Amino acid sequence: MKITVVGLGKIGLPLAVQFAGRGHEVQGVDIEPAVVEAVAAGRPPFPGEDQLADRLGQAISSGALRPRTDTADAVSASEFVVVVVPLYVDGLGDPDFRALDSATGEVARGLRPGTLVSYETTLPVGCTRQRIAPLLRSGSGLQPGADFSLVFSPERVYSGRVFSDLARYPKLVGGIDEASGRRAIDCYSEVLSFDERPDLVKPNGVWDLGSAEAAEFAKLAETTYRDVNIGLVNQFALHAHRIGVDLDRVIEACNSQPFSHLHRPGIAVGGHCIPVYPQFYLNGDPHASIVRAAREANSAMPARAIELLGEASNGLAGLRVAVLGAAYRGGVRETAFSGVFDAVAALRAHGAEALVHDPLYTPNELEGLGFASYQPGDPVDCAVVQADHDEYRTWSAADLPGVRTVLDGRGVLDPSLWPGVDLLVLGRESRRSLTSMPVSS
């Protein structure tokens, strides 16, 4: 097939490489010239994606993948178009459609009869039919369903392991009509490598959910489930601290039955997905009180964690505190909705001097994000692990001279490397009693 992938980000570029590796002619489009130049040179424009460098080099050298900046021209020569342009959001998680609408307009300019267009960008329920379809119709003069096929097919992969996830999980599709769904099953079955995972008990393949709305709902539901689960277990962790129970043991016990799948507690829920997509769901279902409560609880976790640190340190005013990790999670150079922002704000509100370290960011980059940078070996009074970078697993008290109290918000530190330090771990037994810590619901 002749395929265009619109958006060469952390999901779009691996998709384009995957399609090219299956023998298809792929054009990868991005509006950022620097991204296109890097891809054309066979260099991933972002770090940390397993297999991407090798697979990208092969796709470029073989000519199967051609990066460019002209969306409309690429679409005009394609029979299958996949759109993975970010839907940006504001600080509250409300969608800002400007970038996606602009990309959709360019797709419409190049759209030809008979093309299948698939949106993999996560969308509010109803958006494919009520927003995308009219934009494509007005920009192309073609009728969705009659002249071209249109589906929503949510990405269901995790940054860092996109290729293995593409082979592992069912590919969900939902069309604006039955024919669009059938076309999507055929096309995605050609470009994905489900046969690479014969060990799976349940067949994966491509699942037609019957409508674009069902596919949109599925993406929001699975992400919202994770947010609610984390919100619940975070409240369990705070209560466990108060009563002196090791929540790790409780979770292990509960999850020994198939009826329980408790996640792990953490100082923050960040990234483009989990903090955002429940808000998309709430925009369509304002009565979802459980979803709203979980989102509020998770948003409050960085400040709650700093309260724990302050209790253990008998106050934070005037103390130097190192926050370890600016990224929203380990190994990912991305600060979208990262807990670092609220953690630093909470430290400053308590009168502490907050310093930030991250192995993926230079001191100048951290300062550009509004933080004072920290260098290992500088003296501090306290520390907070905000991101589970692998580098921190081997850190010890020697890396933070003078440190007296450490809050491990991700459960990554080796307690044996921190002798003489009050080490607090969310949800675990700690060396300091926190039974007096007030915890609100």
Side-chain angles (χ1 to χ4, degrees):
M1 289 185 291
K2 298 182 184 300
I3 304 171
T4 289
V5 176
V6 183
L8 297 180
K10 294 183 178 180
I11 306 300
L13 179 57
L15 276 180
V17 169
Q18 166 71 28
F19 300 165
R22 295 285 288 180
H24 303 285
E25 299 178 29
V26 183
Q27 298 185 79
V29 180
D30 201 283
I31 62 172
E32 294 293 339
V35 170
V36 171
E37 290 172 9
V39 173
R43 299 191 313 270
F46 47 83
E49 185 58 55
D50 184 43
Q51 306 179 46
L52 180 58
D54 290 342
R55 290 195 182 199
L56 173 60
Q58 294 169 8
I60 293 296
S61 62
S62 69
L65 173 59
R66 293 185 295 131
R68 54 187 308 186
T69 57
D70 191 332
T71 301
D73 191 57
V75 169
S76 69
S78 299
E79 56 197 290
F80 183 21
V81 177
V82 177
V83 181
V84 205
V85 174
L87 175 54
Y88 293 106
V89 295
D90 61 22
L92 298 176
D94 293 325
D96 178 350
F97 285 100
R98 286 176 293 180
L100 187 61
D101 286 353
S102 177
T104 299
E106 288 300 301
V107 171
R109 282 204 313 120
L111 197 56
R112 297 292 182 266
T115 304
L116 167 64
V117 182
S118 175
Y119 276 71
E120 296 207 10
T121 302
T122 301
L123 301 172
V125 175
C127 192
T128 303
R129 190 181 307 274
Q130 297 170 14
R131 187 183 192 95
I132 300 300
L135 287 173
L136 292 174
R137 180 176 59 244
S138 64
S140 67
L142 302 176
Q143 183 65 33
D147 299 320
F148 67 93
S149 301
L150 177 61
V151 301
F152 177 76
S153 179
E155 56 86 5
R156 308 180 73 210
V157 296
Y158 199 66
S159 295
R161 62 182 199 205
V162 170
F163 294 109
S164 61
D165 283 353
L166 285 173
R168 177 177 180 82
Y169 302 125
K171 184 59 175 163
L172 309 182
V173 299
I176 61 166
D177 58 10
E178 185 177 347
S180 292
R182 288 197 304 269
R183 179 89 183 279
I185 289 176
D186 292 340
C187 287
Y188 275 114
S189 296
E190 286 292 324
V191 298
L192 298 178
S193 306
F194 298 114
D195 55 338
E196 293 179 2
R197 293 302 304 269
D199 57 309
L200 292 177
V201 175
K202 188 173 184 178
N204 42 19
V206 186
W207 295 10
D208 186 354
L209 297 192
S211 70
E213 290 78 9
E216 292 163 338
F217 199 161
K219 174 63 176 182
L220 298 188
E222 66 184 15
T223 310
T224 299
Y225 160 78
R226 294 170 63 193
D227 198 38
V228 171
N229 192 316
I230 295 169
L232 176 64
V233 82
N234 276 340
Q235 292 205 333
F236 286 166
L238 292 171
H239 186 58
H241 269 304
R242 185 171 65 184
I243 63 176
V245 168
D246 188 337
L247 187 64
D248 266 7
R249 297 180 181 179
V250 173
I251 291 175
E252 182 181 10
C254 292
N255 289 355
S256 66
Q257 280 195 335
F259 314 111
S260 176
H261 182 58
L262 291 174
H263 291 358
R264 296 286 166 177
I267 187 174
V269 178
H272 292 284
C273 301
I274 301 181
V276 174
Y277 301 153
Q279 188 64 45
F280 287 3
Y281 179 80
L282 285 167
N283 287 344
D285 182 6
H287 305 293
S289 58
I290 294 173
V291 175
R292 181 172 292 103
R295 184 85 297 274
E296 291 172 354
N298 286 334
S299 295
M301 274 304 293
R304 297 280 183 86
I306 298 306
E307 288 178 11
L308 289 173
L309 181 66
E311 175 71 12
S313 304
N314 296 316
L316 296 170
L319 301 186
R320 286 168 54 88
V321 182
V323 179
L324 306 182
Y328 75 85
R329 71 173 170 90
V332 175
R333 185 181 151 84
E334 177 60 72
T335 60
F337 292 92
S338 171
V340 69
F341 298 103
D342 287 340
V344 167
L347 286 167
R348 290 171 177 169
H350 282 269
E353 178 186 2
L355 310 167
V356 178
H357 174 270
D358 193 297
L360 301 182
Y361 291 84
T362 66
N364 285 340
E365 288 172 329
L366 292 174
E367 290 166 9
L369 291 169
F371 305 131
S373 65
Y374 174 75
Q375 293 300 309
D378 291 345
V380 291
D381 301 294
C382 305
V384 178
V385 178
Q386 194 285 134
D388 54 342
H389 291 305
D390 284 340
E391 289 84 346
Y392 297 145
R393 298 180 187 277
T394 58
W395 276 35
S396 68
D399 294 295
L400 301 169
V403 68
R404 301 192 301 270
T405 310
V406 175
L407 172 67
D408 184 357
R410 300 295 183 181
V412 299
L413 301 182
D414 181 349
S416 68
L417 301 178
W418 299 86
V421 176
D422 288 330
L423 181 61
L424 317 175
V425 184
L426 290 176
R428 294 186 193 170
E429 293 174 344
S430 59
R431 297 189 182 124
R432 185 183 183 94
S433 172
L434 294 173
T435 55
S436 62
M437 178 63 195
V439 180
S440 58
S441 62

